[in-house]
Amino acid sequence: MLPGLVSRSACAATFMLAATAAGAQTPPKSWTSGMEDMRVDLSIGTLNGHGREYVLNPDGSSMSMLRWDMRNIAMFNAAVAYRPLSWLALELRGATNLSDSSHMDDYDWNISQCPPVSGGGTYCESNHADTVLRNAWMLDAFAAARFLSTGSVHLSAIAGYKHDFYRWQATGSVSNYAPPSVASSISYDQSWRAPYVGIGIDAEHGPWSLRGRLIASVWASSTSKDIHHNRATLFVDRTGPSQMMAAELGVGYRLSRSLILTLDYRYQAWRLSTGRSTWIDAIAGTTSSSGPKGAGAANTSHMLAIGLSTRPLSGGRPDGGPPADSRWGGLHAGAEIGWLWQSATWRTLSYNDPPVPAVAETATVPLNSGAARAGLFAGYDTRLGERWVAGIEADLGFAGANHTTRGVPGTNSPAQLAASADAARVMREWDASLRLRLGLLLRPDLLVYASGGLALERQGSRLDCKTAYGGCIGQPAEREEKHARTLAGWTAGVGAELALTEGWFARAEYRYSAVPVMRHRFFADSAASVVDTAVARHNHRIGVGLGYRW
């Protein structure tokens, strides 16, 4: 714990010092001084750490603790920084997960249902190896005011705001108190927010650069949601205030005038935050709550990332000469990353054979989801006069936009499905497209364009039958079925590309895609278990990329 880590008076004094120093030294902007107006950073990293969820006794001791691990999670990081004044920088950062490897351990102490232990008391432990980190994203906005500069070394006072979110799902368990289970068991969301202050450093020496931050807060708070599916019970915990601290260090090596290779290490800790828990029993329709400190949450993580930092030249050369020769014709290729929102609607048409009409109240279920998307693109462009550019482009990307719902839709009432261990799931594996492009040069280094054409998507759906009612009627044993198909549809979008130097360009793009409805008959070999389904999908996506033209 770090009591008194940050005080309001220290914060005010630091920014007064920054403003005074800014008035005393306002060096002119130049390429070599590292004070360009804008910087864009893109990187890929690995995230490790864990979130912790507590049920607390009145004396503050732990009655229960769930540890949700993050194991070598691939992360995409992006940042945009702008320096409106020589002494002031504004920066917005974002990060999201590209993979989902995780694990959960559940511990309970001195609960009557648990086995006794030597020395007195009871102890339960369950391990959930089939656990995934469905979503993780981090947002960070801050201002950095330089208050001390010595040569190429600069110190800055920092003030900002962080918001982190994590969503896990654990399926199946092995425990010391019950037989092994394969049913879906627990989903957990953990959200953190904090305004913060800190100090930063940046320095340059030849082609090398250094950046670092140390930030902290005593105003952190969290909101957590825990769903025990087999009991159809929702727990909502609101905790805080508590403390947050984070440390970052990065090194860079200049590859060209506009590109820097970066390596960053980031550590952050959301310290134990306590508060009230409210639990809702969906079947009984009752709501209860704990004492003011009956729940707790904490989170610790560290990430190592490698990437590129680019400084757009706004059409001019570093030496102040005329705009660089922007090559808008010929072959190009690159990589892109962003976020995809998938809208999916599951509809159960009937079940059993002869068919029984689906229960109208539960037959249609929205299974919308979002996920990070990473991909590659390549194409060919040709100039049409002075300002128009036409071409063709193909791309291939991956985004695991998956969503699971309790029970088999359309086979029973809402309350019975909520308590079921059955599950319906939609999955998305990969997408590709072949598109025509038409663009307009707003200036020599800036192209805006529209594109459209054929879209291919690998989509899937799955049913897991664990119980003896609904779509699993007549099943002698548990079973599951997964169905996947490549669907052909259409896509259209708009974007912009900015020429950097030496053939490099950056892009930002929005796309919409739609594919036909995917119909499938599950468990066709068992008349008593047949489920006829139809899933409709479309998606929106945004992305940024870096490419090269030959």
Side-chain angles (χ1 to χ4, degrees), residues 258-279:
S258 60
L259 283 178
I260 298 174
L261 179 66
T262 60
L263 180 66
D264 294 283
Y265 175 77
R266 302 175 185 176
Y267 168 86
Q268 73 173 15
W270 300 90
R271 311 303 286 262
L272 178 62
S273 179
T274 60
R276 187 180 300 274
S277 180
T278 301
W279 53 92

Side-chain angles (χ1 to χ4, degrees), residues 276-336:
R276 187 180 300 274
S277 180
T278 301
W279 53 92
I280 302 167
D281 188 321
I283 296 178
T286 59
T287 300
S288 307
S289 63
S290 71
K293 293 188 176 183
N299 191 294
T300 303
S301 66
H302 59 94
M303 177 164 52
L304 183 66
I306 186 170
L308 291 173
S309 178
T310 181
R311 289 169 169 81
L313 301 182
S314 300
R317 295 206 318 250
D319 59 8
D325 179 18
S326 301
R327 291 174 284 178
W328 293 109
L331 294 172
H332 67 269
E336 60 184 350

Side-chain angles (χ1 to χ4, degrees), residues 103-135:
H103 184 93
M104 193 269 279
D105 296 308
D106 187 350
Y107 307 96
D108 300 285
W109 296 274
N110 299 322
I111 296 177
S112 59
Q113 296 91 336
C114 294
V117 295
S118 59
T122 64
Y123 172 70
C124 283
E125 176 181 349
S126 63
N127 308 114
H128 304 254
D130 189 8
T131 299
V132 293
L133 181 65
R134 293 284 181 218
N135 297 110

